[in-house]
Amino acid sequence: MKSTRESDNDRLKGRSISFDEPLFFMEAHDGLSALIAEHTGFKAIWASGLSISTALGRRDASEICPAEMLRVFERIAEVTTVPVLVDADSGYGNFNNARLAARKLAQYSISGMCIEDKLHPKMNSFVGSGQALADAQEFCGKIKAIRDQGLGNFAVVARTEALISGLGMGEALDRAAAYLDAGADAILIHSKRPDANEIFEFLRQWEGRCPVVVVPTTYYSYCVSKFKEL
């Protein structure tokens, strides 16, 4: 057990996420799957909201209360030593919910959280089309609220669903730039096309302004070297 006298920053030392080179995250939805991922050789874990919801018999639609999700995240962190990035959906509500969740995650030695610019409660990205997004400035407020907690190396990944929602490349780039300015450490850009062309174009126009996270759910056949190149 970790000493309660340790600060949040002390607990995060050695488990911070390095974006210096391409990094693979393996999905985990409980302590056992997280252990398997680490023992198999993965250097980082993605605590998946979709998988956790499914494992608990619920939809990926904010149907699991934050307290229950946090218990799963805590168990994943307890049994692993590699960095854990939490899929925190839309931040579980407003800016206040997001900052409180970040504080608790840091206490569990979680390395960072990813929040998406969906309205709360969120719906899985692949359900329907044209899902409404949160106001960009309101979402920036969530990022700033998390950053204002002073959690040291705790990473904030801002996920934009602009391409998923059909709002176009310009909107995706504008939102990503705003989120970076608000304090995000990395941008997650998502697409549900069967090819990676949207992602490649985003990466070209983004020009390496900060690290980018991709989730190749539908374009899994593309070679990793292409993403590394961009």
Side-chain angles (χ1 to χ4, degrees), residues 139-165:
F139 190 73
C140 286
K142 288 185 182 181
I143 297 171
K144 291 175 181 177
I146 297 169
R147 188 57 72 213
D148 286 347
Q149 295 303 290
L151 300 177
N153 292 331
F154 187 83
V156 181
V157 178
R159 168 174 167 170
T160 179
E161 295 280 283
L163 298 179
I164 288 280
S165 295

Side-chain angles (χ1 to χ4, degrees), residues 116-127:
E116 60 192 77
D117 54 4
K118 289 267 192 71
L119 296 175
H120 181 79
K122 60 76 62 85
M123 178 58 71
N124 183 276
S125 300
F126 297 95
V127 175

